[in-house]
Amino acid sequence: MSAAASPYDVVVIGGGVTGAGVARDLSLRGVSVLLLEKGDWGAGTSGASSWMIHGGPRYLEFDWNTTRLSTQDAGYIVSIARNFVSRVVFLIPVMPHDKNNIERMETAMEVYDRFQPLKHAHPHRRLTAEEAWQAEPGLAPDIIGAVTMEEWGVDPHRLVFANVEDAIAHGARAMNHTRVTEVIRDGGKVIGVRYRTSDGAATEARARVVVNAAGPWSPEVAGMAGAKVHLRPAKGIHIVYPHRISNFSISAESIDGRDLLLVAHAGFTLLGTTDDDFYGDLESVDVLQDEVDYLIQGIERVFPAIRDYRPVRTTAGVRPTLFKWRRYEDELSRRYEIIDHASDGADGFVSIAGGKLSMYRLMAEETSDAVCRKLGVQASCTTSSRPLPGNDAEPEPAAALAARCGIPALAAVKLQTRHGTRSERVLDEGGTSRILCRCEPVTEGELVYAARHEQVRTLADAFRRVGVAAGPCAGAACIIRTGEVVGRELGWSASQRIDAAREFVRGAWLGRAPVLGHAGWAQEELAQGALRGLMVTDGSR
Ligand SMILES: Cc1cc2nc3c(=O)[nH]c(=O)nc-3n(C[C@H](O)[C@H](O)[C@H](O)COP(=O)(O)OP(=O)(O)OC[C@H]3O[C@@H](n4cnc5c(N)ncnc54)[C@H](O)[C@@H]3O)c2cc1C
């Protein structure tokens, strides 16, 4: 074991949106930071979210301050990430016997409207049943009316990576696939961490402060320092459709009265989410058939056409909700807490727990303030106005970029939602505008760029960074080629490329199995067979 101690001001554990936000904030204040993530950037709860930057109108009933803070912070986030976000407009249909009639629903929206300007969103509108059917012909025939609500959508993987990238640009060191195995103490003081990189090498890093931003893993990480974080973790799943299946996003009530959302993002749709106490292993959060049925049953009541569409996979994550006894899961507050463990006898160790993606910037700011007080650093936070990389200006029209670079307009749009004003540079450096997959127009150039500059180490990392294999083929048509492109950049042998593709297919399968209907299994057999054939004819096995 090599044990080269390297001094940092701060080690941040966890590369979800919170840890990445803390690393960026501190780096911008001139603090030296080491950010460590055991998997990939955003691959924990952040990536499994509903991809929404929202105010949370639901919390108005029992925790309006969280709605206020999160709406306000959402406003900052959509400004600093303007090229990565898109408006998501909901129709909230009201059905006979719903817990809220149309008057109550509209009253709630009138209250929410007071917060909407904070996040640059429009106020609600009330629609008659006829107007709602006109907007969304797939709605059930017995709706009474509807109200609208506007939120923002974002790819959380890109949001997390943009924070990591900016932290690096301001002097941070950031390593994915690197697990913290131990927190080092010297008496009552935390003085650093031991970590293991993907090649198995063990190293230690000394720091004046260690930040625990490990989301649902934060109790486990706190335990390494002999400290305590008390969460009430709650599991949530989504069903993913590889295209838009409705004109608008739709809200519905599930059988137990909880809110469900069918979220129409740019090129795909998420149906979610469940919210259940979770006592299992955080390393294997499985999706159950019951959970899939619960979501489809709930949305079918207002959008019967749902059963006509083929889902492509599921996602699952665990909310790092703060502990509270005697409350239903969906009534738990999304408040957050910054814990200075000096009071638990672990001075120099700070945890950030709870919260949500929509207020990650504020959570990072307050955590960084607490860290800076310990370090005696005076610099103040700049992240509410400083754009993330690629968001300094409006990008040119996608059609102009497409024409100049010889790529389809849709590929240009997608590129811009990931790289904003830097899109052409990404493509130029990648050196090719060839499209990798027919169903998801990702260019090989963008993948080359990601392998060179965006810490892609596995094909699942490539999926998160550029959306490869996210379309209807789920990788059947493009994963072998993806392995070749990434493998060429990273110096993989032919058999390593095949192993990488095999590992991707195996991992993706776990999320696909719960949504394979009758025809889906047959199609899956075909796709798997074709892939196996390709992997063998490649000559490696
Ligand atoms: C189903 C679902 C839907 C949601 N939808 C939304 C939404 O639309 N909008 C919203 O605002 N919020 C949403 N949330 C909440 C939001 O996703 C989370 O609050 C937020 O993403 C948590 O981010 P995080 O960085 O704290 O945790 P994570 O994203 O889980 O990051 C923690 C990271 O720490 C790493 N880690 C753990 N242990 C170690 C170790 N020993 N060494 C190194 N690294 C380690 C993990 O690998 C992980 O990547 C949703 C949550 C769920 C479950």
Side-chain angles (χ1 to χ4, degrees):
M1 161 175 161
S2 84
S6 39
Y8 293 90
D9 291 327
V10 181
V11 169
V12 179
I13 306 172
V17 75
T18 312
V22 171
R24 175 182 190 236
D25 189 321
L26 288 171
S27 307
L28 287 169
R29 299 191 205 202
V31 172
S32 73
V33 175
L34 173 65
L35 171 64
L36 301 172
E37 164 55 49
K38 72 178 168 57
D40 186 29
W41 307 119
T45 309
S46 301
S49 70
S50 307
W51 293 40
M52 280 204 304
I53 297 177
H54 62 153
R58 202 160 50 79
Y59 315 131
L60 276 175
E61 286 175 43
F62 51 91
D63 183 12
W64 72 268
N65 198 37
T66 294
T67 305
R68 185 181 65 81
L69 289 178
S70 119
T71 316
Q72 194 167 38
D73 208 40
Y76 292 130
I77 299 167
V78 301
S79 304
I80 63 171
R82 60 201 254 182
N83 297 329
F84 295 171
V85 297
S86 55
R87 289 184 192 271
V88 173
V89 180
F90 280 91
L91 288 183
I92 309 177
V94 176
M95 305 281 290
H97 316 300
D98 268 1
K99 67 178 173 210
N100 289 318
N101 63 26
I102 187 92
E103 299 303 334
R104 282 187 63 171
M105 189 53 86
E106 180 156 39
T107 305
M109 282 303 129
E110 277 165 4
V111 177
Y112 193 45
D113 283 350
R114 296 187 203 164
F115 297 92
Q116 288 285 37
L118 292 171
K119 62 177 171 70
H120 318 293
H122 295 105
H124 85 282
R125 284 193 53 197
R126 177 170 169 165
L127 306 181
T128 61
E130 287 70 27
E131 286 168 332
W133 286 318
Q134 210 172 5
E136 194 59 68
L139 288 177
D142 50 344
I143 59 166
I144 290 167
V147 291
T148 65
M149 176 182 73
E150 193 176 85
E151 302 289 6
W152 291 92
V154 73
D155 176 344
H157 304 113
R158 290 309 310 187
L159 182 65
V160 172
F161 190 72
N163 278 275
V164 172
E165 202 179 8
D166 210 30
I168 295 171
H170 291 88
R173 186 159 180 233
M175 298 161 74
N176 57 353
H177 300 288
T178 300
R179 179 187 286 271
V180 170
T181 53
E182 223 175 299
V183 172
I184 309 169
R185 294 179 57 133
D186 182 4
K189 173 113 185 78
V190 165
I191 56 167
V193 298
R194 291 204 174 82
Y195 60 88
R196 194 173 290 280
T197 48
S198 55
D199 60 5
T203 310
E204 68 178 50
R206 296 293 167 110
R208 293 165 65 199
V209 177
V210 172
V211 174
N212 170 14
W217 289 267
S218 54
E220 178 187 316
V221 168
M224 293 180 195
K228 273 200 165 52
V229 169
H230 208 182
L231 295 183
R232 185 164 159 197
K235 175 185 169 189
I237 75 143
H238 289 98
I239 302 174
V240 186
Y241 296 83
H243 22 244
R244 262 182 98 131
I245 60 176
S246 54
N247 294 330
F248 291 90
S249 298
I250 299 170
S251 157
E253 195 183 296
S254 63
I255 191 166
D256 53 2
R258 297 180 185 205
D259 294 324
L260 302 182
L261 301 176
L262 183 76
V263 192
H265 285 294
F268 71 102
T269 305
L270 284 179
L271 170 57
T273 170
T274 55
D275 197 345
D276 295 305
D277 282 316
F278 183 74
Y279 300 94
D281 178 1
L282 286 169
E283 303 303 327
S284 62
V285 186
D286 298 329
V287 173
L288 309 176
Q289 190 61 53
D290 282 359
E291 295 169 311
V292 169
D293 292 343
Y294 168 86
L295 293 179
I296 293 183
Q297 177 198 38
I299 201 76
E300 185 180 27
R301 186 164 155 266
V302 295
F303 188 67
I306 191 73
R307 293 210 187 261
D308 299 339
Y309 296 99
R310 183 176 71 96
V312 74
R313 65 180 166 277
T314 56
T315 63
V318 177
R319 294 176 186 83
T321 336
L322 295 178
F323 184 81
K324 181 106 187 158
W325 191 260
R326 202 186 300 115
R327 282 268 192 169
Y328 288 120
E329 300 90 325
D330 66 331
E331 290 168 7
L332 289 173
S333 158
R334 290 341 185 206
R335 277 186 315 107
Y336 59 89
E337 196 177 338
I338 295 154
I339 308 158
D340 182 339
H341 295 280
S343 53
D344 306 350
D347 192 16
F349 190 68
V350 174
S351 291
I352 164 73
K356 56 212 228 44
L357 184 133
S358 308
M359 51 186 179
Y360 87 90
R361 195 215 58 82
L362 177 64
M363 293 161 64
E365 174 177 344
E366 292 185 5
T367 308
S368 302
D369 286 347
V371 169
C372 284
R373 278 195 295 275
K374 286 183 139 342
L375 295 173
V377 170
Q378 303 292 329
S380 48
C381 175
T382 54
T383 58
S384 62
S385 57
R386 196 179 183 119
L388 286 161
N391 288 278
D392 45 332
E394 285 278 325
E396 65 176 320
L401 176 70
R404 207 171 47 255
C405 299
I407 55 174
L410 184 57
V413 171
K414 297 218 165 192
L415 192 64
Q416 286 181 330
T417 62
R418 291 190 280 265
H419 300 282
T421 49
R422 303 190 307 172
S423 299
E424 188 161 4
R425 205 181 92 199
V426 167
L427 217 50
D428 282 353
E429 200 181 318
T432 166
S433 54
R434 188 170 147 184
I435 297 294
L436 204 73
C437 180
R438 279 184 301 275
C439 55
E440 190 63 13
V442 176
T443 62
E444 283 195 14
E446 187 186 1
L447 184 60
V448 167
Y449 181 90
R452 281 183 198 165
H453 301 292
E454 297 191 333
Q455 301 195 354
V456 166
R457 300 287 171 268
T458 69
L459 300 191
D461 296 352
F463 164 82
R464 282 181 283 270
R465 224 65 93 242
V466 307
V468 73
C473 86
C478 57
I479 207 64
I480 299 274
R481 179 74 194 142
T482 303
E484 280 169 18
V485 174
V486 173
R488 196 179 58 220
E489 290 302 317
L490 301 187
W492 292 345
S493 66
S495 70
Q496 283 174 314
R497 294 175 197 190
I498 293 297
D499 285 346
R502 196 171 275 129
E503 186 188 318
F504 180 87
V505 171
R506 216 177 6 244
W509 162 250
L510 296 173
R512 287 168 63 68
V515 286
L516 289 179
H518 190 66
W521 281 98
Q523 190 175 357
E524 186 68 18
E525 282 290 316
L526 248 166
Q528 297 263 349
L531 274 176
R532 265 196 298 274
L534 279 170
M535 287 169 183
V536 170
T537 51
D538 193 78
S540 65
R541 290 278 189 280

